[in-house]
Amino acid sequence: MSTAEFDRLPRLRSALDRQGNPMSVAEFLDVLKQVAAPGSEALTAGERDYLLENTDLTEKDLSSEGLAAARLRIAEDRALAEEEAVESSLTTKQVAELLGKHAPAIRRYKGSGELYALPTAAGRDTLYPAWQFVDGKKTPGLSEIIPLFPQYTHPLEVQQFMTEPHEDLGERSPVQWLNAGGDTQAVADLVEELSYE
C-alpha cells in the first residue's frame, strides 16, 4: 500500500463515520475492489445509489472509464507499495548483523516462523520486512501469529495488519502490542477474525 493510500485511509474512515456507515474501511475497500475487478458484475441500482449517496464517488467514477481508471490506480498503488516493501526490507546478512547472529540462525528463525520473510524467486536473497524489528530485536510471538494468516495472504496485507493501530489492542498496532509485552493470543484472535471475513 502506498504512502498516498495510507494517507487516504484516515480520510476515508472519517467520511464513512460522518455518513453513519456501519462498514469498516476494510469492508468498504473490499466492496470497491470487487466493483473495480476486471470482469466484475455491473453494479445493481441499489449499489450504485448507495455509493453515490454515501461516498464522494460520482457517476463518472462509476462509469466503465472511471472503473478502468480506478483499476489502473489500484495496480499502480500496489506496484509502488510492493516496491516500497522490498526496498524497506532487510537481507539475511543485514538481519544477522542487526540481531548479532550468524546467517544460519536467521534462516532457522525463518523456518520456525520466528521471522516473517517475503516470498522470493529461486536464487534471490530472502528479504525480511523491517516492521518486525524494533530497537535491534525481533518482535516476539510471530511464530504463533504468522501461520494464522490465510495461506495466500499478500505480504502487504500482513504488513498493514501488523503495523496499523487496532481498537482491541488499545489503539496500538500488533507490533507495538507484542513488543510492549502484550498477550500474543490477543493478536492471534484478531488474525483469526480476518480468516472469517
Side-chain angles (χ1 to χ4, degrees):
M1 188 169 288
S2 71
T3 303
E5 193 169 353
F6 276 121
D7 290 343
R8 287 192 295 265
L9 288 178
R11 290 189 0 234
L12 178 56
R13 188 174 294 115
S14 176
L16 289 171
D17 289 344
R18 282 193 310 272
Q19 296 293 330
N21 188 345
M23 298 174 83
S24 70
V25 170
E27 291 167 335
F28 183 75
L29 290 174
D30 285 342
V31 169
L32 288 180
K33 285 178 188 173
Q34 290 172 18
V35 169
S40 64
E41 296 178 20
L43 291 173
T44 66
E47 291 169 331
R48 180 179 221 77
D49 291 344
Y50 178 85
L51 290 171
L52 291 172
E53 291 171 16
N54 296 292
T55 69
D56 293 335
L57 295 174
T58 65
E59 284 285 350
K60 183 179 177 184
D61 295 326
L62 299 178
S63 69
S64 58
E65 295 82 14
L67 293 175
R71 280 194 293 277
L72 179 60
R73 279 193 308 275
I74 290 168
E76 289 171 345
D77 283 350
R78 187 171 194 119
L80 179 60
E82 289 176 358
E83 184 179 330
E84 288 173 3
V86 167
E87 288 176 1
S88 69
S89 294
L90 306 172
T91 64
T92 301
K93 180 180 177 185
Q94 291 170 319
V95 173
E97 290 171 1
L98 176 71
L99 300 179
K101 305 281 185 184
H102 295 287
I106 304 309
R107 286 190 280 278
R108 281 193 299 278
Y109 286 154
K110 176 189 170 205
S112 68
E114 292 179 60
L115 287 177
Y116 176 67
L118 298 176
T120 58
R124 294 195 58 197
D125 195 7
T126 301
L127 295 175
Y128 300 86
W131 57 258
Q132 63 193 318
F133 305 104
V134 176
D135 297 329
K137 297 178 183 171
K138 58 186 175 67
T139 296
L142 292 181
S143 60
E144 289 103 49
I145 303 224
I146 298 301
L148 298 176
F149 282 95
Q151 183 179 3
Y152 297 105
T153 303
H154 195 281
L156 293 174
E157 292 176 59
V158 174
Q159 175 179 310
Q160 180 179 2
F161 175 85
M162 293 300 293
T163 59
E164 286 190 351
H166 198 284
E167 183 179 324
D168 291 350
L169 301 177
E171 297 303 329
R172 287 187 270 180
S173 72
V175 167
Q176 292 168 327
W177 175 264
L178 294 168
N179 283 309
D183 180 32
T184 304
Q185 189 60 46
V187 177
D189 291 344
L190 293 174
V191 175
E192 288 179 337
E193 285 177 21
L194 291 177
S195 303
Y196 297 112
E197 292 181 359

